[in-house]
Amino acid sequence: MLSRIRYTLRETFDSFRRNATLTVAAIITAAISLLGVGLTLLSQHAFDNLLARWEGGVEMIVFMRPQATAEQLQLVEDNLSEQSQFIAEFSYCDEQCSLDEADRVLAGEPGVRELLDENNITTQFKAIPTEGTDVELLRQLSGAFSELPSVFEVKFAEDQISLISQLQSFFGFRLLLLSGFLLLAAILLIWNTIRTAIFARRREIEVMKLVGATDWFIRIPFMLEGLLHGLIGAGVASLGLWVWNTQWTTGVQDFPPNSGFAALVVTDGYEVTVMLIMFAIGALAGAIGSGIAASKFLDV
Amino acid sequence: MIRLENVTKSYSTEVVALRDASFDVAKGEFVFLVGPSGSGKSTLLRMLNRQERPERGAVWVAGRNIIGMPPGRVPHLRRNIGNIFQDYKLLLEKSVFENVAFAQEVIGRPSHVIKQQVPAVLELVGLAGKEDRLPHQLSGGEQQRVSIARAFVNRPLILLADEPTGNLDPGTGEGIMRLLDRINKTGTTVVMATHDQRIVNTMRKRVIQLDRGVIVRDQARGVYE
């Protein structure tokens, strides 16, 4: 067993050395395509942050002043309950809930977020309209809510979501398409690198087959090589993603306040999940691509 | 050890490599396959290690019909068969030791066994002391000896040799034949395709003659013609 492992590792690294130029090309292509996939996932998540407070079909939010009393909150709640023909359901987001939400919405403005605490955060009533209720009708209703004591303001999803959603779908789709093409190019390049490596060693493979080596014994060093192409590519892409995310997050802090970019950052550790996804895609693409390439030369 | 039953193999409608070929080879026999180029000698050898499959007939090796053998079992069959080629098929960037050890490595022999058996087989073929040489630093005869060592190191039941003396001068070829004869005397069955009339006539082993895919002669202690 030990001798097989030693043999596999030796063959893998020998092949790396022999095909250095092609190997580097395959790794770079894999890295660029995986970085594309990573940036797409990251930007989607950043857009989701922008829309964090409107998750779950919320169309209207009644923001309450920080010092609103229990009676004033009850009054708003009663008013919302009375509109059951237009409002399907509503929920109250208290101080802690609003602070958690601020963590995402103000991720790019940590200075502003630091100023907020349980004593000065606006709490919120989030309303989901009944099916068929026109937002314009809700807008008309809002006039009544704005007049209630301790109501700070009433906001509508339509005013904020429309542009963000358009941007999200525009960039998301096109970036994903581009990443898909790049990923395909990376798989083909890894496939071609392995094919070239195998072609250069076809004599050796013929001898191996004739002395009784199994197909898997021959295939595994090549698959390991492809797997390493994918993993190294993913490593380079992860580094690029980390640098990009750090630069962007730092840069956003210098943007003018209320520029709209405050939430368009990822600071909740999601970038680590994206990196793991990139490693998984890289490893799979590399191993499968090289496995297919190797199989074509094993018919001796 | 080997049995062919009515084996027919063609590469196209015009090119028939073997036609209804049948014969038996007992354990420990030494058999020459003779005949002109294109008579089917190499096809027959390739069929014995399942590199080729016939359209019709059965090929039995060590008691098993290898034609219907599942692909996963073929490597195990080949571990019992050594192959020697006219062009040696040595790995040029590996040393003599590494070339021979390679045959053991790929079937998972532990390194302590390799370190013990490779020098022994190199001693047997007369290459002791040349373990570290690369193939291009050896003569043709020495390269063929490495090839024989690689074929024999796993102690196969059968040795298939395709024109092993074809690239060698007569004197060197005789040395190779003496070596194959020694290996045969250890109980290994040897099937050798050759054009070398002198060798066949000197050795006086069983001769199977092929002509355009047909066995035209099967003679014990035979000569070339």
Side-chain angles (χ1 to χ4, degrees), chain B residues 26-47:
Chain B
K27 184 177 185 302
E29 251 191 301
F30 195 123
V31 180
F32 284 117
L33 298 176
V34 301
S37 295
S39 59
K41 304 185 297 292
S42 296
T43 300
L44 203 152
L45 289 180
R46 289 166 64 82
M47 214 163 269

PDB file of all heavy atoms in Angstrom, chain B residues 26-47:
ATOM      1  N   ALA B  26       1.737 -27.245 -23.946  1.00  0.00           N
ATOM      2  CA  ALA B  26       1.782 -27.763 -22.574  1.00  0.00           C
ATOM      3  C   ALA B  26       2.646 -26.871 -21.688  1.00  0.00           C
ATOM      4  O   ALA B  26       3.465 -26.085 -22.179  1.00  0.00           O
ATOM      5  CB  ALA B  26       2.358 -29.169 -22.592  1.00  0.00           C
ATOM      6  N   LYS B  27       2.478 -27.020 -20.387  1.00  0.00           N
ATOM      7  CA  LYS B  27       3.277 -26.248 -19.431  1.00  0.00           C
ATOM      8  C   LYS B  27       4.763 -26.579 -19.621  1.00  0.00           C
ATOM      9  O   LYS B  27       5.126 -27.743 -19.760  1.00  0.00           O
ATOM     10  CB  LYS B  27       2.847 -26.596 -18.008  1.00  0.00           C
ATOM     11  CG  LYS B  27       3.532 -25.782 -16.937  1.00  0.00           C
ATOM     12  CD  LYS B  27       3.005 -26.147 -15.566  1.00  0.00           C
ATOM     13  CE  LYS B  27       3.593 -25.250 -14.495  1.00  0.00           C
ATOM     14  NZ  LYS B  27       5.044 -25.246 -14.409  1.00  0.00           N
ATOM     15  N   GLY B  28       5.574 -25.531 -19.680  1.00  0.00           N
ATOM     16  CA  GLY B  28       7.021 -25.735 -19.780  1.00  0.00           C
ATOM     17  C   GLY B  28       7.530 -25.964 -21.196  1.00  0.00           C
ATOM     18  O   GLY B  28       8.725 -26.151 -21.396  1.00  0.00           O
ATOM     19  N   GLU B  29       6.630 -25.915 -22.187  1.00  0.00           N
ATOM     20  CA  GLU B  29       7.071 -26.098 -23.580  1.00  0.00           C
ATOM     21  C   GLU B  29       7.752 -24.841 -24.115  1.00  0.00           C
ATOM     22  O   GLU B  29       7.499 -23.737 -23.615  1.00  0.00           O
ATOM     23  CB  GLU B  29       5.854 -26.404 -24.468  1.00  0.00           C
ATOM     24  CG  GLU B  29       5.803 -27.843 -24.964  1.00  0.00           C
ATOM     25  CD  GLU B  29       4.755 -28.033 -26.049  1.00  0.00           C
ATOM     26  OE1 GLU B  29       3.571 -27.766 -25.777  1.00  0.00           O
ATOM     27  OE2 GLU B  29       5.141 -28.442 -27.147  1.00  0.00           O
ATOM     28  N   PHE B  30       8.559 -25.030 -25.146  1.00  0.00           N
ATOM     29  CA  PHE B  30       9.166 -23.911 -25.865  1.00  0.00           C
ATOM     30  C   PHE B  30       8.677 -24.024 -27.307  1.00  0.00           C
ATOM     31  O   PHE B  30       8.936 -25.019 -27.970  1.00  0.00           O
ATOM     32  CB  PHE B  30      10.694 -23.997 -25.799  1.00  0.00           C
ATOM     33  CG  PHE B  30      11.397 -22.729 -26.192  1.00  0.00           C
ATOM     34  CD1 PHE B  30      12.272 -22.105 -25.313  1.00  0.00           C
ATOM     35  CD2 PHE B  30      11.199 -22.145 -27.442  1.00  0.00           C
ATOM     36  CE1 PHE B  30      12.935 -20.933 -25.663  1.00  0.00           C
ATOM     37  CE2 PHE B  30      11.850 -20.970 -27.783  1.00  0.00           C
ATOM     38  CZ  PHE B  30      12.711 -20.356 -26.898  1.00  0.00           C
ATOM     39  N   VAL B  31       7.967 -23.016 -27.774  1.00  0.00           N
ATOM     40  CA  VAL B  31       7.357 -23.095 -29.115  1.00  0.00           C
ATOM     41  C   VAL B  31       7.806 -21.912 -29.961  1.00  0.00           C
ATOM     42  O   VAL B  31       7.750 -20.758 -29.516  1.00  0.00           O
ATOM     43  CB  VAL B  31       5.806 -23.080 -29.005  1.00  0.00           C
ATOM     44  CG1 VAL B  31       5.170 -23.158 -30.389  1.00  0.00           C
ATOM     45  CG2 VAL B  31       5.319 -24.219 -28.130  1.00  0.00           C
ATOM     46  N   PHE B  32       8.252 -22.220 -31.186  1.00  0.00           N
ATOM     47  CA  PHE B  32       8.547 -21.152 -32.145  1.00  0.00           C
ATOM     48  C   PHE B  32       7.344 -20.956 -33.057  1.00  0.00           C
ATOM     49  O   PHE B  32       6.777 -21.940 -33.556  1.00  0.00           O
ATOM     50  CB  PHE B  32       9.740 -21.532 -33.029  1.00  0.00           C
ATOM     51  CG  PHE B  32      11.072 -21.418 -32.339  1.00  0.00           C
ATOM     52  CD1 PHE B  32      11.860 -22.538 -32.143  1.00  0.00           C
ATOM     53  CD2 PHE B  32      11.552 -20.185 -31.908  1.00  0.00           C
ATOM     54  CE1 PHE B  32      13.099 -22.448 -31.515  1.00  0.00           C
ATOM     55  CE2 PHE B  32      12.789 -20.086 -31.287  1.00  0.00           C
ATOM     56  CZ  PHE B  32      13.564 -21.216 -31.083  1.00  0.00           C
ATOM     57  N   LEU B  33       6.969 -19.694 -33.282  1.00  0.00           N
ATOM     58  CA  LEU B  33       5.977 -19.386 -34.317  1.00  0.00           C
ATOM     59  C   LEU B  33       6.762 -18.831 -35.490  1.00  0.00           C
ATOM     60  O   LEU B  33       7.469 -17.823 -35.329  1.00  0.00           O
ATOM     61  CB  LEU B  33       4.983 -18.327 -33.828  1.00  0.00           C
ATOM     62  CG  LEU B  33       4.121 -18.679 -32.616  1.00  0.00           C
ATOM     63  CD1 LEU B  33       3.275 -17.465 -32.207  1.00  0.00           C
ATOM     64  CD2 LEU B  33       3.211 -19.862 -32.925  1.00  0.00           C
ATOM     65  N   VAL B  34       6.681 -19.477 -36.622  1.00  0.00           N
ATOM     66  CA  VAL B  34       7.437 -18.996 -37.785  1.00  0.00           C
ATOM     67  C   VAL B  34       6.482 -18.725 -38.946  1.00  0.00           C
ATOM     68  O   VAL B  34       5.340 -19.190 -38.949  1.00  0.00           O
ATOM     69  CB  VAL B  34       8.536 -20.000 -38.220  1.00  0.00           C
ATOM     70  CG1 VAL B  34       9.516 -20.249 -37.095  1.00  0.00           C
ATOM     71  CG2 VAL B  34       7.926 -21.315 -38.698  1.00  0.00           C
ATOM     72  N   GLY B  35       7.008 -17.994 -39.897  1.00  0.00           N
ATOM     73  CA  GLY B  35       6.203 -17.657 -41.069  1.00  0.00           C
ATOM     74  C   GLY B  35       6.587 -16.276 -41.562  1.00  0.00           C
ATOM     75  O   GLY B  35       7.195 -15.490 -40.823  1.00  0.00           O
ATOM     76  N   PRO B  36       6.229 -15.951 -42.796  1.00  0.00           N
ATOM     77  CA  PRO B  36       6.599 -14.644 -43.339  1.00  0.00           C
ATOM     78  C   PRO B  36       5.861 -13.504 -42.630  1.00  0.00           C
ATOM     79  O   PRO B  36       4.902 -13.744 -41.891  1.00  0.00           O
ATOM     80  CB  PRO B  36       6.166 -14.747 -44.806  1.00  0.00           C
ATOM     81  CG  PRO B  36       5.137 -15.819 -44.839  1.00  0.00           C
ATOM     82  CD  PRO B  36       5.459 -16.774 -43.732  1.00  0.00           C
ATOM     83  N   SER B  37       6.313 -12.277 -42.910  1.00  0.00           N
ATOM     84  CA  SER B  37       5.637 -11.110 -42.334  1.00  0.00           C
ATOM     85  C   SER B  37       4.175 -11.113 -42.758  1.00  0.00           C
ATOM     86  O   SER B  37       3.851 -11.416 -43.910  1.00  0.00           O
ATOM     87  CB  SER B  37       6.300  -9.823 -42.822  1.00  0.00           C
ATOM     88  OG  SER B  37       7.611  -9.758 -42.340  1.00  0.00           O
ATOM     89  N   GLY B  38       3.296 -10.794 -41.822  1.00  0.00           N
ATOM     90  CA  GLY B  38       1.866 -10.747 -42.132  1.00  0.00           C
ATOM     91  C   GLY B  38       1.190 -12.093 -42.080  1.00  0.00           C
ATOM     92  O   GLY B  38       0.022 -12.229 -42.462  1.00  0.00           O
ATOM     93  N   SER B  39       1.922 -13.109 -41.582  1.00  0.00           N
ATOM     94  CA  SER B  39       1.314 -14.450 -41.555  1.00  0.00           C
ATOM     95  C   SER B  39       0.427 -14.655 -40.324  1.00  0.00           C
ATOM     96  O   SER B  39      -0.297 -15.643 -40.246  1.00  0.00           O
ATOM     97  CB  SER B  39       2.415 -15.517 -41.594  1.00  0.00           C
ATOM     98  OG  SER B  39       3.275 -15.362 -40.483  1.00  0.00           O
ATOM     99  N   GLY B  40       0.498 -13.732 -39.346  1.00  0.00           N
ATOM    100  CA  GLY B  40      -0.386 -13.831 -38.176  1.00  0.00           C
ATOM    101  C   GLY B  40       0.328 -14.161 -36.878  1.00  0.00           C
ATOM    102  O   GLY B  40      -0.332 -14.352 -35.852  1.00  0.00           O
ATOM    103  N   LYS B  41       1.671 -14.159 -36.878  1.00  0.00           N
ATOM    104  CA  LYS B  41       2.426 -14.529 -35.664  1.00  0.00           C
ATOM    105  C   LYS B  41       2.167 -13.519 -34.529  1.00  0.00           C
ATOM    106  O   LYS B  41       1.844 -13.903 -33.405  1.00  0.00           O
ATOM    107  CB  LYS B  41       3.943 -14.565 -35.955  1.00  0.00           C
ATOM    108  CG  LYS B  41       4.359 -15.485 -37.083  1.00  0.00           C
ATOM    109  CD  LYS B  41       5.874 -15.544 -37.215  1.00  0.00           C
ATOM    110  CE  LYS B  41       6.526 -14.230 -37.563  1.00  0.00           C
ATOM    111  NZ  LYS B  41       6.237 -13.729 -38.918  1.00  0.00           N
ATOM    112  N   SER B  42       2.324 -12.237 -34.874  1.00  0.00           N
ATOM    113  CA  SER B  42       2.166 -11.212 -33.829  1.00  0.00           C
ATOM    114  C   SER B  42       0.723 -11.134 -33.343  1.00  0.00           C
ATOM    115  O   SER B  42       0.472 -10.952 -32.143  1.00  0.00           O
ATOM    116  CB  SER B  42       2.614  -9.848 -34.356  1.00  0.00           C
ATOM    117  OG  SER B  42       3.988  -9.891 -34.639  1.00  0.00           O
ATOM    118  N   THR B  43      -0.215 -11.308 -34.277  1.00  0.00           N
ATOM    119  CA  THR B  43      -1.634 -11.304 -33.872  1.00  0.00           C
ATOM    120  C   THR B  43      -1.885 -12.420 -32.871  1.00  0.00           C
ATOM    121  O   THR B  43      -2.584 -12.220 -31.866  1.00  0.00           O
ATOM    122  CB  THR B  43      -2.536 -11.479 -35.110  1.00  0.00           C
ATOM    123  OG1 THR B  43      -2.291 -10.396 -35.995  1.00  0.00           O
ATOM    124  CG2 THR B  43      -4.003 -11.518 -34.731  1.00  0.00           C
ATOM    125  N   LEU B  44      -1.287 -13.570 -33.149  1.00  0.00           N
ATOM    126  CA  LEU B  44      -1.490 -14.713 -32.252  1.00  0.00           C
ATOM    127  C   LEU B  44      -0.937 -14.415 -30.848  1.00  0.00           C
ATOM    128  O   LEU B  44      -1.598 -14.672 -29.842  1.00  0.00           O
ATOM    129  CB  LEU B  44      -0.797 -15.928 -32.857  1.00  0.00           C
ATOM    130  CG  LEU B  44      -1.324 -17.285 -32.393  1.00  0.00           C
ATOM    131  CD1 LEU B  44      -1.085 -18.320 -33.482  1.00  0.00           C
ATOM    132  CD2 LEU B  44      -0.684 -17.727 -31.115  1.00  0.00           C
ATOM    133  N   LEU B  45       0.266 -13.809 -30.818  1.00  0.00           N
ATOM    134  CA  LEU B  45       0.849 -13.467 -29.515  1.00  0.00           C
ATOM    135  C   LEU B  45      -0.019 -12.439 -28.786  1.00  0.00           C
ATOM    136  O   LEU B  45      -0.246 -12.544 -27.585  1.00  0.00           O
ATOM    137  CB  LEU B  45       2.269 -12.909 -29.694  1.00  0.00           C
ATOM    138  CG  LEU B  45       3.355 -13.903 -30.117  1.00  0.00           C
ATOM    139  CD1 LEU B  45       4.696 -13.186 -30.250  1.00  0.00           C
ATOM    140  CD2 LEU B  45       3.490 -15.040 -29.107  1.00  0.00           C
ATOM    141  N   ARG B  46      -0.504 -11.448 -29.547  1.00  0.00           N
ATOM    142  CA  ARG B  46      -1.330 -10.399 -28.935  1.00  0.00           C
ATOM    143  C   ARG B  46      -2.654 -10.973 -28.419  1.00  0.00           C
ATOM    144  O   ARG B  46      -3.237 -10.446 -27.473  1.00  0.00           O
ATOM    145  CB  ARG B  46      -1.596  -9.281 -29.949  1.00  0.00           C
ATOM    146  CG  ARG B  46      -0.344  -8.441 -30.258  1.00  0.00           C
ATOM    147  CD  ARG B  46      -0.541  -7.573 -31.486  1.00  0.00           C
ATOM    148  NE  ARG B  46      -1.575  -6.591 -31.294  1.00  0.00           N
ATOM    149  CZ  ARG B  46      -1.412  -5.430 -30.679  1.00  0.00           C
ATOM    150  NH1 ARG B  46      -0.229  -5.111 -30.200  1.00  0.00           N
ATOM    151  NH2 ARG B  46      -2.404  -4.580 -30.535  1.00  0.00           N
ATOM    152  N   MET B  47      -3.093 -12.037 -29.037  1.00  0.00           N
ATOM    153  CA  MET B  47      -4.334 -12.663 -28.593  1.00  0.00           C
ATOM    154  C   MET B  47      -4.139 -13.395 -27.258  1.00  0.00           C
ATOM    155  O   MET B  47      -5.049 -13.460 -26.436  1.00  0.00           O
ATOM    156  CB  MET B  47      -4.783 -13.652 -29.656  1.00  0.00           C
ATOM    157  CG  MET B  47      -6.277 -13.744 -29.777  1.00  0.00           C
ATOM    158  SD  MET B  47      -6.692 -14.499 -31.314  1.00  0.00           S
ATOM    159  CE  MET B  47      -6.833 -13.094 -32.364  1.00  0.00           C
TER     160      MET B  47
END
